[in-house]
Amino acid sequence: MRWLPSRMQTTTIKAACPHDCPDTCAMLVTVEQRGEKRVAIKVAGDPTHPTTRGALCTKVSRYLERTYHPDRVLHPLKRVGPKGHGAFERVTWDEALDAIAARLKSIAAIDPQRIVPYSYAGTMGLVQGESMAARFFHRLGASHLDRTICATAGAEAMNHTLGTRTGPAMEAFADSRLIIFWGTNAIASNLHLWSFAQEAKRKGAKLIAIDPYRSSTAEKCHQHIALLPGTDAAFALGLMHVLVREDWLDHDYIARHTLGFEALAERAEQYPPEKVAAICGITASEVEALAHDYWHLRPAAIRLNYGMQRVHGGGNAVRAVTCLPALAGHWRSPAGGVLLSTSGMFNKDMAALQRPDLLAGRTPRTINMSTIGAALHEADPPIDALIVYNSNPVAVAPQSPQVAAGFAREDLFTVVLEQFLTDTADYADYVLPATTQLEHVDVHGAYGHLYVLANNAAIDPLGEALPNAEIFRRLAAQMGFTEHCFVETDEEIAAQAFHRSGTTANFDWETLKRDGWQRLAVPERYAPFADGGFPTASGNCEFISSSLAALGLEPLPDYVPPYEGPTSNPELARRFPLAMISPPARNFLNSSFVNVESLRATEGEPSLEIHPVDAQPRGIASGDRVRVRNDRGSFELAARITDRARPGCVVALSIWWKKLARDGRNANEVTSQALTDIGRAPTFYDCLVEVERSG
Ligand code: SF4
């Protein structure tokens, strides 16, 4: 930590943004000493960090509003009203921990698998995320949680194709001549990469967005290709068809570094542009033109994000797109290839962080977090206790009516570690007050760049809030867990976060705390697969995947139609003719920040964007209250008539807290718990609905 005295008696603390965002910004927190108290007075981006470059997004620029928000939960709370009503009384930490430990012990005596952790990326920190918490649940023998709600379809698809998750460095996009934003609104969810893309644009690069929605990113690109949701794999196969037909192929790269070209070419043969155009709701010339650009504008970089994988065929879609750079030889340049995530480059020491040895040979069942609604009703043995941290499942999990009904079960014991009384916390038997990033220590990898970061605590915890790791440390003591790992401090855990080998050979916690960030040990001109070297079983980019075949899955990329679409389910499509997607609102991050008034005010009220050709026959005008419905549920919001939503597709920017919406509902009322083809992930954007005026 570097202390910088000034006339104002302020200090600057090196920190890291904790949120679920590929940019993982390096932050500088200015702290003023007021008597005994340290008060954070400013957060800013670290100008020395190579991708943050001094800028935070609007959301995290308001982080002080979050930390000092009057609604912060600052004391342990015990439920006094019906579940879901959010009525609590203040209790002491001792009372809360006594009661929780007693209940968990009695459930564990029957079967510890009846206790289920539920967590995701409320913080991306390795200490306040899954370290002490994982140790606690391993020691207990609780159910495992399959953490699928965001990234596993794409992550597993990348692993099966490239052998890992990496791609061009964020900074290298400045040197690309073609940048394709595929299923991503970078301005909302990858702002710093967008800034490198702007540099490329100024140097003459062409920017193309592929997205059913004309997002703010698509509006600023040279071209926007508006596919129907869930048809991305068909489009990628159509591009391959043209590349093969025109012999726009890097034969040398294909011969030396890929597996299964002939089979892939045969598969692509089945996707001529006219057929692809019909599937995707575009023109054949859009397929032809993009294939032409993809070969001639070199190097070309594709920025994939998770939007395209939230459908039945999401894994195959990522596989298909991921094959493109090897066909055209774009991996040869640092500024070419495809980037979904760099998370495979961080050499985390998960065994040290999470201590799976504490399972002592037990093999608990696994609950998929994406189907928690069903699991709360159907799991056998039943779920008797849920410990929720870093997540807000009542708002964010699919098919919310079933999720909420599960959380309302009187026999379910629910503990929620939270900063605010979220939709989920309202169902808790106990709410335990958790610190924000300014109040605790953490260490971070990233999934959009190539740096590790330290988060030093800028201020003391507010009220009686505690870091997640400390809450689990105290719970472990209350449960009688005596292993040494349960008394390790947060700093001791942080110091073990990465192996001291490979890309993190230089990791040293003391140095990282002082400097704030450190680049992985990768070459300055990072081009991960310029000379092949794919860490797959064959050592090649696997167009045909033996690992998928071993799982009994289709080994070649293919187009898997949405569950809910006119070809796969014509009867459903007749009753519910519109495809709904619910991508991130720019001022929210999943469900974080929805309760920050200034950000919510910028976002306005929950709204549904609908194309004039879909609005007119339904008698819907801009500003009308409309009901979006299907067989799973319904919710209401204000209509916005706009051609930003393509015909046949409606857009509900998300994820609103249900209790902050006028009707107490959000888009997950209608989403389903069906899972992706690869990765067991949710299919939020595979969702047919009907829309009508609500009167
Ligand atoms: S949310 Fe993303 S862009 Fe915003 S400060 Fe955090 S890491 Fe940076």
Side-chain angles (χ1 to χ4, degrees), residues 8 31 316 334 391 458 524 572 577 631:
M8 299 273 300
V31 175
N316 264 280
S391 188
E524 194 179 326
L572 190 76
D631 288 336

Side-chain angles (χ1 to χ4, degrees), residues 17 19 21 23-25 56-57 59-60 192 589:
C17 174
H19 287 287
C21 168
D23 296 21
T24 314
C25 289
L56 302 177
C57 65
K59 302 175 279 270
V60 176
H192 296 78
L589 208 159

Side-chain angles (χ1 to χ4, degrees), residues 354-411:
Q354 302 189 348
R355 298 293 305 271
D357 56 296
L358 293 165
L359 283 165
R362 294 169 295 177
T363 53
R365 63 151 175 212
T366 298
I367 299 288
N368 187 339
M369 71 188 306
S370 299
T371 49
I372 188 65
L376 282 169
H377 300 280
E378 299 162 7
D380 183 18
I383 299 173
D384 288 348
L386 264 180
I387 316 292
V388 182
Y389 52 104
N390 298 332
S391 188
N392 182 10
V394 171
V396 307
Q399 205 174 343
S400 194
Q402 197 181 31
V403 178
F407 271 81
R409 274 177 36 202
E410 274 303 325
D411 62 331

